[in-house]
Amino acid sequence: QVQLVESGGGSIQAGGSLTLSCKVSGYYSSFCMGWFRQAPGNEREGVAAISSDLKPDYAESVKGRFAIFRDNSKNTHYLIMNSLKPEDTAVYYCAANWPGPCIVSGTTRGLVGQGTQVTVSS
């Protein structure tokens, strides 16, 4: 059974940086991996995705500020978030292995972790 466990959320002031990690147990190296977020009252929003051959895809709202990486040897992938804004405040979820192409819009339809809160204050 595949399990995803996030870590690294927290509270930070606007302009700061945070790194989220997602450790995946179970079969991993061929999976698409990614992140989506959900703010109170909002729908899920795909943030970033990365394919097994390391091709990233980002939401327009985070391009140039966020970066996604994966380390298959550690069964872990990461979301590095820079220049954070208050509108980035949300629960961030690790996602994996969704049907269809390995793009950011697929992240909301895969296996999901428990989520980690990111709060950005102005």
Side-chain angles (χ1 to χ4, degrees):
Q1 183 177 357
V2 177
Q3 290 186 314
L4 295 76
V5 179
E6 300 99 335
S7 60
S11 298
I12 196 164
Q13 289 193 323
S17 300
L18 282 175
T19 297
L20 306 182
S21 301
C22 177
K23 186 167 180 62
V24 183
S25 62
Y27 193 55
Y28 175 80
S29 62
S30 66
F31 285 179
C32 286
M33 306 299 294
W35 298 86
F36 68 90
R37 64 189 180 186
Q38 188 166 24
N42 289 0
E43 294 187 354
R44 292 179 171 185
E45 177 192 16
V47 175
I50 188 165
S51 66
S52 58
D53 58 351
L54 308 182
K55 292 179 182 176
D57 187 39
Y58 297 101
E60 286 296 326
S61 58
V62 305
K63 276 184 180 178
R65 300 189 298 123
F66 290 13
I68 186 169
F69 296 96
R70 64 191 290 170
D71 184 342
N72 289 342
S73 68
K74 297 181 179 179
N75 283 9
T76 301
H77 65 284
Y78 308 90
L79 184 68
I80 299 173
M81 305 183 293
N82 298 314
S83 302
L84 282 160
K85 304 175 181 180
E87 51 264 43
D88 295 317
T89 295
V91 178
Y92 283 70
Y93 296 88
C94 171
N97 200 33
W98 53 88
C102 194
I103 55 177
V104 67
S105 60
T107 56
T108 60
R109 296 182 283 112
L111 302 172
V112 180
Q114 83 282 2
T116 186
Q117 177 71 46
V118 172
T119 302
V120 185
S121 58
S122 57

